[in-house]
Amino acid sequence: MARPERDETTGGGESTFTVIVAALANLGIALAKAVAGVISGSSAMLSEAAHSLADTVTEVLLLTSLKRSVRPADEDHPLGHGPERYIWALLAAVATFVGGAVFSFYDGLHTLTHGEEPGDPLIAYIVLALAFLLEGYSLRTGLRQARGAAARARVPFGRYLRRTPDTAVKAVVMEDSAALIGLVLAAGGLLGGQLTGSGVFDGVASLCIGALLLYVAWVLGRSNAEFLIGRPLPPAVRERVRAELLAEDDIEAVLELTTLVQGPREALVAAKVDFRDGATADRIEWTCERAERRLRAELPMVRRVYLDPTPGARKP
């Protein structure tokens, strides 16, 4: 009984712009950090280059997820392609772990055990300062979108960021925040090595960057895995769904309610509904039609509604 409508801006628009800005910033920063790392001999700078390269790969995967998830439903995929975004976003989290965290741990341990020959840190400081500005702009773009979405949803920003089904924006905000922290760590490692002549500070900074990336990869991986497994609508929204169904005169009870988030603005509702005694088949059909229209008008994220007429426990 569902007749889903596709919103072609889902997965595009603000989210796509946010990811593109982050991808372009990270690609340029990765190249600059790699050159600065080679010139300065800093393992923390090389770790930061790996960090930015991993972030670039992440953004490419996120763009893929945004484009592929908006494909319309077809015979082979009757519920659409919305959940595909979480597959690609999960791969992006893996890229952050493999491309950034693993290299940072390796380079930090190598520096601590074998030492390093320090070079001229001036170029590294310049690159770090420029990278901080670019990453800050990218983070500002992501935060602006996330805060706007949180305001529209009327939930606190922190809660929105933890629970949002738009994991692409969540990835940009977390990765850019981690990037700014990583830049500060890299600068601290450079300064410590410059003041003491020891590579220990640089190695420790590289290990800290690796730990930071490991945390980001774990949080993003867990978030996307939850949506792939299947996350319901929040309890308050489920109660609104139940209330909207019960607002129909011929619906006596909602015996079972199942909801499933399929994308940032896409959810499925299925319910076993007990209709009042004496309701004709025609009235049941029109009640289902009105209930679906009511739900989709009050809760735009609900794209598919399936109602199953089911007798209550006390009925024969």
Side-chain angles (χ1 to χ4, degrees):
M1 162 130 227
R3 291 190 297 276
E5 299 174 358
R6 293 300 307 180
D7 178 2
E8 296 304 326
T9 62
T10 300
E14 277 189 302
S15 295
T16 300
F17 176 74
T18 298
V19 174
I20 289 176
V21 168
L24 294 176
N26 282 318
L27 181 59
I29 291 169
L31 296 173
K33 286 177 180 176
V35 172
V38 171
I39 294 175
S40 66
S42 168
S43 64
M45 280 300 297
L46 292 175
S47 295
E48 273 297 299
H51 179 177
S52 294
L53 182 60
D55 284 352
T56 303
V57 174
T58 295
E59 313 308 341
V60 172
L61 292 172
L62 291 177
L63 283 173
T64 302
S65 77
L66 294 174
K67 295 302 180 184
R68 292 182 64 86
S69 64
V70 297
R71 291 179 297 166
D74 53 39
E75 187 175 347
D76 294 327
H77 303 86
L79 297 182
H81 297 76
E84 187 171 347
R85 74 165 52 220
Y86 300 120
I87 296 175
W88 290 95
L90 182 61
L91 292 176
V94 173
T96 298
F97 171 72
V98 175
V102 171
F103 179 84
S104 297
F105 280 127
Y106 166 78
D107 205 40
L109 290 173
H110 184 271
T111 299
L112 291 176
T113 56
H114 294 78
E116 66 179 12
E117 189 67 30
D120 184 4
L122 178 60
I123 185 65
Y125 285 126
I126 294 174
V127 168
L128 287 174
L130 292 175
F132 198 91
L133 293 175
L134 291 174
E135 294 284 9
Y137 176 76
S138 177
L139 177 60
R140 176 174 172 269
T141 303
L143 287 174
R144 178 186 298 170
Q145 180 181 348
R147 283 177 177 147
R152 289 190 294 272
R154 298 179 181 177
V155 297
F157 173 72
R159 180 181 174 188
Y160 172 82
L161 199 60
R162 287 193 302 272
R163 303 293 295 176
T164 178
D166 194 347
T167 54
V169 173
K170 180 175 182 175
V172 170
V173 171
M174 288 199 66
E175 288 170 357
D176 286 344
S177 298
L180 292 177
I181 297 172
L183 291 171
V184 173
L185 290 171
L190 278 171
L191 182 61
Q194 187 179 7
L195 294 176
T196 64
S198 171
V200 171
F201 291 94
D202 205 40
V204 170
S206 186
L207 291 176
C208 290
I209 292 170
L212 182 65
L213 291 176
L214 183 62
Y215 171 74
V216 171
W218 178 73
V219 171
L220 294 179
R222 183 184 63 176
S223 296
N224 287 288
E226 286 179 357
F227 286 108
L228 284 174
I229 294 170
R231 178 189 285 182
L233 290 169
V237 180
R238 295 201 298 271
E239 288 305 312
R240 285 187 62 188
V241 169
R242 190 181 298 274
E244 294 297 336
L245 292 175
L246 291 174
E248 290 293 330
D249 292 337
D250 281 323
I251 294 180
E252 189 171 275
V254 177
L255 304 176
E256 183 179 324
L257 178 63
T258 300
T259 64
L260 179 66
V261 175
Q262 296 182 293
R265 290 171 290 277
E266 188 171 354
L268 176 149
V269 170
K272 288 183 177 293
V273 177
D274 181 14
F275 287 86
R276 298 190 186 281
D277 294 338
T280 63
D282 184 65
R283 283 171 59 184
I284 290 175
E285 288 176 352
W286 280 107
T287 296
C288 289
E289 183 70 17
R290 287 194 303 270
E292 178 182 348
R293 291 177 180 175
R294 179 194 295 268
L295 279 176
R296 294 173 67 176
E298 294 298 320
L299 301 167
M301 80 285 290
V302 174
R303 300 294 184 84
R304 298 174 178 86
V305 180
Y306 300 97
L307 301 180
D308 179 14
T310 306
R314 292 174 293 177
K315 295 182 180 180

